[in-house]
């Protein structure tokens, strides 16, 4: 058997960033050594170094410019390789590979790391798609921020551990629920009156939360305005700039969440968001020590909402907020953490709480450009 | 039984800071409720609020200015009280106590917390001392920084879990060891040639590391230049500004550490400290995965030190530093963590490594104003 040699030179900070990004898709406790590695492929002709991490669910592939002297490929243990490179002086790092040993040289530092042949690295799955959908990065990030938090974290919750993404060239919709609350974000991708773009692929898939968190991290620092999405029945890829994220999809029918959102409301309360968050965070100190329940006493006459929590034998507390309230006065209770989770991702100055009865679903909406509906179920209280 | 009422007003940020400081001496898992509390004493005449936390080992007492309307005292659960006050708006907090219930009012927030009568709070021990020693805060902090890290953390190590403090008006000496390494700091408190201050008490005691870490935290933000120390056979108090720290002492004979420091050395190596730390941190990545051992190959001819670590089947690495070395060349090995611990607290640009043979104690010293000796035992290496 004959291993190609490999040699490249790359600035320390660039190599550090690239290893860190690829390592995000490397398994923490893999069942074979190659899965703990990052695949390096140096291309003499293109003068690039490609790095890949793949934990069999999510794969991250990226390319950086490098002064390549000899093409080649090798798998290096991701953690050790990253730890060493990240602590080297800010200077050029020369990596020379012979057989499966990589020698890192930088200033008067010299490290030899044992690697594995590239053949042992699991190939990233290929997505079988003819068409590509281009999504604006800014809108996608905004939508992810407003939906991801509501998905289930419990491993047993199947499709609920994903976000339902429905997208076309004109429209992006994201929905997430853990069975207790539901966040739905709707976004127009075409300015009203503007010409619709050339027909592109549609997307309708349930994408794992973990994948989408990596997508946020991958897109956030990029200057690119669009991300290219390709999807088949089992896999999705997101490509932007020199980076590509591949992930399996969640299988199974996603709940028909549209029918859960009430069409009409008997009561509406408009609240100043930051003030509400601060007040809820204070009563949450007590609620966290009991059952997480905060009671809202909505007084439509006084135009006030009183938030109160009782933890008998320990403490009780209340916060009074001035609001605009329509409809009749009502007492209603919620899980304070669910309220806070939703309020924190809204970036509007004001929010609207829309209610029917004390045991019927309520909806929180930011008053602003993002069209987001956050449905939460009240908790029954004994009066 | 009759409880005095209590009422005071205090700015939120001031009260938050005071509770946080007193809470540092409140037990995390106390075996009775009063030990989880902070004692509040409001004094109408002095217009002050005193706060005390005491976990039966370390006690912290401090006084803040407050608009006191009625004198009184009460124990409140430290964590809950602190959590609530720290999240209140930055405004005046009014605390009103009736029986054992404290009502906190701030803006439109209102919290009632159940407390305990002050009688249930354990009194801080009184130190039986006639004389007071005044130590300069800056020197004391410098000495603590250079010694505390070397003390034992293992609960079974008795007196080694403390720092041996020997102080007079003229001189401060701190020593700490965990049996594997020893740090000794010596400081003159009087400028050479200056008149010695009026005779004061001497201090010779073994003070628990935990106490001294709290002392650092207490003194660091204060503008005061001196701390007053009082000590008897069992207890010590440090008082500065409005703050007082009380602690029990560690009992038992402290090792005669002076005799451990070699009087003469056959070899001396002068190294640039930051460069050495950076190089050691890199080889430590490999050493941490093996046995923590780094080998130093001191080449007196080439005036170089090579740091090397071997982790067979995984990686090996080396760093080469240009140094000034006197004496013969030698190979010597150390625990890399011990080297780093000592080097990190030295703030000199250069350090000196003073050696005899490869299995005899070595001493690291910063080249600068602080007189510190850091003794470490080499690790035997097979050649």
């Amino acid at each position: 058997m004959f291993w190609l040699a490999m040699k490249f030179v790359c600035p320390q900070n660039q190599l550090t960033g690239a290893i860190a990004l690829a390592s995000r898709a490397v398994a923490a406790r893999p069942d074979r050594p190659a899965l703990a590695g990052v695949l390096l492929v140096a291309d003499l002709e293109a003068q690039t170094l490609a790095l890949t991490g793949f934990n069999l669910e999510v794969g991250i592939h990226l390319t950086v410019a490098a002064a390549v002297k000899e093409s080649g490929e090798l798998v290096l243990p991701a953690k050790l390789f990253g730890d060493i490179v990240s602590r080297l002086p800010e200077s050029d790092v020369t990596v020379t590979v012979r057989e499966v040993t990589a020698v890192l040289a930088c200033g008067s530092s010299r490290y030899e790391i044992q690697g594995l042949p590239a053949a042992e690295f699991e190939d990233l799955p290929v997505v079988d798609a003819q068409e590509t959908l281009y999504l604006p990065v800014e809108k996608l990030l905004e939508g992810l921020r407003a939906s991801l938090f509501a998905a289930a974290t419990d491993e047993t919750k199947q499709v609920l551990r994903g976000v339902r993404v429905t997208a076309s060239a004109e429209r992006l919709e994201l929905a997430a629920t853990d069975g207790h609350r539901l966040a739905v974000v709707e976004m127009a991708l075409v300015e009203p009156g503007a010409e619709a773009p050339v027909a592109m692929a549609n997307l309708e898939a349930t994408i794992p939360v973990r994948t989408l968190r990596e997508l946020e991290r991958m897109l956030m620092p990029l200057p690119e305005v669009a991300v290219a999405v390709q999807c088949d029945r089992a896999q999705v890829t997101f490509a932007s700039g020199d980076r590509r994220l591949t992930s399996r999809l969640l299988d199974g029918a996603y709940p028909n969440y549209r029918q859960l959102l009430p069409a009409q409301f008997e009561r509406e309360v408009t609240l100043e968001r930051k003030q509400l968050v601060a007040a809820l965070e204070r009563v949450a100190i007590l609620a966290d020590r009991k059952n997480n329940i905060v009671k809202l006493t909505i007084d439509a006459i006084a135009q006030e909402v009183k938030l109160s929590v009782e933890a008998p034998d320990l403490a009780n507390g209340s916060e009074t907020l001035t609001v605009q309230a329509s409809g009749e006065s009502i007492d209603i209770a919620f899980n304070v953490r669910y309220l806070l989770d939703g309020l924190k991702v809204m970036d509007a100055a004001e929010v609207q709480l829309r209610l029917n009865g004390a045991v019927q679903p309520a909806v929180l909406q930011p008053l602003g450009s993002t069209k987001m509906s956050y449905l939460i179920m009240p908790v029954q209280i004994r009066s």
Side-chain angles (χ1 to χ4, degrees), chain A:
Chain A
M1 211 162 181
F2 172 72
W3 308 122
L4 278 176
M6 166 160 84
K7 184 171 182 180
F8 64 85
V9 182
C10 190
Q12 181 267 347
N13 54 4
Q14 204 168 319
L15 190 56
T16 299
I19 301 168
L21 188 63
S23 296
R24 297 214 40 95
V26 175
R29 284 173 218 81
D31 47 14
R32 53 200 169 88
L35 288 177
V38 58
L39 172 67
L40 303 180
V41 180
D43 185 330
L44 176 66
E45 203 170 321
Q47 288 291 296
T48 55
L49 175 71
L51 298 96
T52 310
F54 182 38
N55 60 20
L56 303 183
E57 278 198 29
V58 179
I60 294 174
H61 175 91
L62 74 155
T63 308
V64 293
V68 178
K69 318 284 186 189
E70 290 178 59
S71 289
E73 49 186 29
L74 185 73
V75 179
L76 284 179
K79 178 83 171 65
L80 183 64
F81 183 38
D83 281 350
I84 292 173
V85 172
S86 68
R87 282 176 185 79
L88 287 174
E90 262 198 57
S91 171
D92 278 346
V93 181
T94 303
V95 179
T96 314
V97 173
R98 289 292 174 269
E99 301 283 325
V100 292
T101 303
V103 178
L104 280 60
C106 181
S108 57
S109 306
R110 189 189 148 90
Y111 290 83
E112 277 184 35
I113 308 178
Q114 296 308 311
L116 291 167
E120 293 193 20
F121 197 79
E122 194 76 31
D123 285 335
L124 286 187
V126 175
V127 173
D128 177 25
Q130 301 294 317
E131 290 173 319
T132 304
L133 175 68
Y134 293 91
L135 291 177
V137 169
E138 202 182 320
K139 292 270 186 187
L140 181 58
L141 287 176
E142 191 183 330
L144 288 175
R145 182 177 141 82
S147 57
L148 270 174
F149 75 96
T153 49
D154 184 342
E155 287 293 319
T156 65
K157 290 255 180 145
Q158 310 287 344
V159 287
L160 300 192
R161 289 181 304 120
V163 172
R164 186 65 175 174
V165 182
T166 313
S168 67
E170 292 87 29
R171 212 171 147 280
L172 172 64
E173 182 170 313
L174 299 111
T177 176
D178 62 2
H180 302 287
R181 68 284 191 48
L182 162 71
V184 182
V185 192
E186 297 165 77
M187 289 168 149
L189 301 183
V190 184
E191 293 292 317
E195 204 174 325
V198 188
M200 293 189 292
N202 289 337
L203 174 68
E204 191 159 5
T206 310
I207 304 175
V209 166
R210 227 205 111 196
T211 302
L212 294 172
R213 293 226 183 271
E214 292 306 332
L215 181 63
E216 279 187 317
R217 205 180 289 260
M218 179 178 103
L219 295 179
M220 218 100 75
L222 284 185
E224 272 73 18
V225 295
V227 56
V229 189
Q230 286 194 311
C231 191
D232 60 20
R233 294 179 67 88
Q235 300 284 337
V236 63
T237 66
F238 296 91
S240 193
D242 298 324
R243 302 171 176 196
R244 195 168 77 232
L245 179 75
T246 305
S247 166
R248 69 177 182 83
L249 297 174
L250 291 178
D251 209 15
Y254 198 82
N256 180 4
Y257 56 85
R258 282 266 143 224
Q259 70 182 20
L260 300 174
L261 292 168
Q264 293 181 40
F265 296 93
E266 293 167 19
R267 298 171 172 87
E268 282 185 354
V269 185
T270 305
L271 300 115
E272 206 273 296
R273 189 183 65 91
K274 278 192 186 160
Q275 197 185 28
L276 177 59
V277 167
L280 283 171
E281 282 183 332
R282 287 193 286 271
V283 293
I285 300 165
L286 301 186
D288 288 351
R289 289 171 185 239
K290 275 284 291 179
N291 45 18
N292 279 316
I293 296 171
V294 57
K295 186 169 92 172
L296 279 66
T297 306
I298 299 169
D299 185 336
I301 312 295
Q303 294 285 296
E304 271 182 6
V305 171
K306 184 172 154 192
L307 314 173
S308 55
V309 170
E310 283 182 34
D313 302 329
L314 183 68
N316 56 64
S318 70
E319 299 277 343
T320 308
L321 305 174
T322 302
V323 301
Q324 295 156 45
S326 70
E328 285 172 42
S329 296
I330 190 174
D331 283 8
I332 189 167
F334 295 101
N335 180 315
V336 68
R337 287 290 150 202
Y338 288 173
L339 284 176
L340 279 169
D341 285 350
L343 286 164
K344 281 183 180 174
V345 301
M346 298 177 185
D347 51 12
E350 289 186 313
V351 294
Q352 209 161 44
L353 177 64
R354 310 177 78 190
L355 306 168
N356 286 306
V359 293
Q360 290 167 281
V363 170
L364 261 173
Q365 289 181 321
L367 289 180
S369 55
T370 308
K371 188 164 178 216
M372 174 190 177
S373 298
Y374 181 51
L375 181 144
I376 38 176
M377 285 304 297
V379 182
Q380 207 156 354
I381 38 174
R382 292 172 223 109
S383 51

